[in-house]
Amino acid sequence: MHEMALTESIVEIACDEARKQGASRIRVVRLRIGAMAHVAPEALRFCFDAVARGTPAEGATLDILRRKGEGLCADCGKSVPLEERFAACPECGGQHVQMTSGDELRIEELEVD
Amino acid sequence: MCTICGCGAAAAEGAKIPADDMPAHHHPHELHHHDHSHGAGGELIDFGAGMARVHAPGLSQERIVRIERDILSKNDAYARDNRAALAARGVLALNFVSSPGSGKTTLLVRTIGELKTRLPIAVVEGDQQTSNDAERIRATGAPAVQINTGKGCHLDAHMVGHALERLDMRRGGALFIENVGNLVCPAAFDLGEAHKVVVLSVTEGEDKPLKYPDMFAAADLMLLNKADLLPHLSFDVGQCLANALKVNPHLQTLVVSATTGEGLSAFYAWIEARAALAAAKAS
């Protein structure tokens, strides 16, 4: 459900930026979303077309780049790839991996006319 | 729904917040101002009205614009404003999150009854519809503002900012924000609170922290509520707490019953200690 609010925020930020750049139309909105971000990318796509209607982002492609998570294991001290917040350390099997990245929710760039 | 101010489909009740459709309106804030118009019905944001006036003749070449902005940046900016306003007044704000029916309102009613002679408490209630919860809070004598989110599944920092303007919060007091009952969406939205407090009840299952890790990762304190029902259930308290700590090793946990009061003295002490610190920082 909150993907609708996030999509409205995406369209608003994109349209603000396009206006500042003097662009009349947005062709691509490129997002970077971490594997553990609070969002379902499919739901964003589902909402995007409806929210973008009647704005300079209408008809734009929503390009979502996924980013894998990383964590720091408190038991063995290594930086390790992380796919779930509570996953065990793939190196030592310890349960104390702190997420260091993977919850990004960012608009990276626009392609505009 | 307007996600900037929560008006349109969302409405706030309990004070003077306009709830009905309006062609245009102005929002006063302590720290920011904005005006915007809504179409009839107020169901959809129409960015077209503002944007359609933008023309850039001769600029047809496609180009790439780097933005690198957080999608939640607008919410987070409002949250910073709320946090600064609360800090200036020395008020401790707690954001209570849980699934529906975990006993949040019962917990707040009991907590206010216990603390109100020592600590001024104000409440923001978030629900999709009805002002039932705000009425339960007001019956304790504490001021409460109800925000109805309409179709919205969470409170955002802007809605809470408007509610703060309508609450009389005294130095050294506490603000309890009861979020919409939902173990998913409210995790992503900072409201400007000092701490998220997640309430889980023993009727919900030990594995909720594993099934909904985002919320338990975002919280600083977990209250395991309805402990008075444990004799009737096969709920494993130890396993539940272990699951919560697996998701968030920094989480503090208390086993309580909002009905009998069991375990709540530790929660009251937790609140009072933090409220005293918030007041001391502001003076």
Side-chain angles (χ1 to χ4, degrees):
Chain A
M1 272 294 282
H2 72 295
E3 277 78 1
M4 184 59 98
L6 294 179
T7 307
E8 287 169 344
S9 189
I10 291 165
V11 171
E12 190 183 346
I13 291 169
C15 289
D16 279 353
E17 196 60 37
R19 181 167 43 83
K20 278 187 215 155
Q21 301 288 334
S24 57
R25 199 180 148 208
I26 299 169
R27 289 192 178 275
V28 178
V29 177
R30 194 158 290 125
L31 310 180
R32 182 169 296 279
I33 294 182
M36 285 164 287
H38 309 272
V39 69
E42 304 72 31
L44 284 184
R45 288 186 204 285
F46 181 80
C47 297
F48 184 76
D49 289 345
V51 174
R53 199 167 299 144
T55 79
E58 181 167 345
T61 303
L62 193 63
D63 184 9
I64 301 178
L65 311 169
R66 299 311 305 268
R67 181 178 175 150
K68 287 182 182 167
E70 267 191 20
L72 182 66
C73 177
D75 295 321
C76 70
K78 290 182 183 161
S79 281
V80 293
L82 197 62
E83 286 175 14
E84 292 175 321
R85 280 182 191 271
F86 52 89
C89 174
E91 295 285 331
C92 74
Q95 290 287 347
H96 305 106
V97 183
Q98 285 287 285
M99 184 178 67
T100 50
S101 72
D103 63 349
E104 301 83 0
L105 264 183
R106 293 180 71 79
I107 305 185
E108 292 271 300
E109 61 186 24
L110 307 176
E111 289 181 20
V112 298
D113 286 341
Chain B
M1 175 179 67
C2 167
T3 49
I4 299 304
C5 66
C7 52
E13 177 278 328
K16 307 183 286 282
I17 304 181
D20 299 321
D21 296 337
M22 286 173 294
H25 57 264
H26 175 74
H27 295 277
H29 291 252
E30 286 179 357
L31 298 158
H32 64 276
H33 295 270
H34 64 260
D35 287 283
H36 57 144
S37 59
H38 294 252
E43 287 297 321
L44 270 179
I45 284 190
D46 181 11
F47 290 98
M51 306 304 298
R53 290 190 285 275
V54 174
H55 294 288
L59 276 179
S60 59
Q61 202 176 357
E62 191 170 307
R63 58 210 157 90
I64 292 183
V65 180
R66 298 289 296 175
I67 299 185
E68 299 193 32
R69 274 186 67 186
D70 210 303
I71 292 168
L72 287 163
S73 55
K74 294 215 166 190
N75 180 75
D76 292 347
Y78 287 124
R80 276 195 296 277
D81 290 349
N82 293 349
R83 190 165 279 120
L86 290 160
R89 287 190 247 182
V91 171
L92 172 76
L94 301 177
N95 178 2
F96 289 83
V97 291
S98 80
S99 50
S102 65
K104 282 193 300 301
T105 311
T106 304
L107 178 81
L108 295 190
V109 165
R110 187 170 190 117
T111 302
I112 292 166
E114 196 69 31
L115 290 180
K116 66 181 177 188
T117 55
R118 308 200 291 275
L119 193 67
I121 297 172
V123 179
V124 174
E125 281 288 339
D127 283 298
Q128 280 200 318
Q129 292 187 20
T130 84
S131 55
N132 295 355
D133 283 358
E135 283 158 20
R136 284 174 68 189
I137 297 293
R138 284 185 206 118
T140 68
V145 171
Q146 178 82 46
I147 299 174
N148 283 149
T149 59
K151 302 296 175 202
C153 50
H154 58 271
L155 292 177
D156 66 38
H158 191 272
M159 299 174 188
V160 171
H162 278 304
L164 292 186
E165 293 160 8
R166 285 156 179 85
L167 282 170
D168 176 27
M169 290 180 298
R170 277 175 281 161
R171 181 177 297 274
L175 173 73
F176 294 165
I177 303 166
E178 184 178 340
N179 218 312
V180 177
N182 177 343
L183 267 183
V184 183
C185 310
F189 293 82
D190 182 9
L191 305 180
E193 73 275 0
H195 304 282
K196 281 191 179 73
V197 177
V198 62
V199 182
L200 181 65
S201 62
V202 298
T203 50
E204 294 175 65
E206 302 90 342
D207 56 354
K208 281 289 183 293
L210 301 180
K211 287 178 170 170
Y212 301 93
D214 291 351
M215 190 65 88
F216 293 85
D220 294 315
L221 174 66
M222 176 173 102
L223 298 178
L224 185 57
N225 193 24
K226 306 191 186 179
D228 54 300
L229 297 179
L230 282 170
H232 311 288
L233 304 167
S234 59
F235 188 89
D236 184 339
V237 172
Q239 187 60 52
C240 179
L241 300 182
N243 289 340
L245 291 172
K246 200 171 172 186
V247 173
N248 179 357
H250 302 292
L251 190 67
Q252 293 179 280
T253 60
L254 291 172
V255 181
V256 303
S257 165
T259 303
T260 65
E262 173 190 343
L264 282 174
S265 53
F267 177 51
Y268 304 148
W270 188 91
I271 294 172
E272 287 190 282
R274 279 157 184 78
L277 282 174
K281 278 188 195 160
S283 53

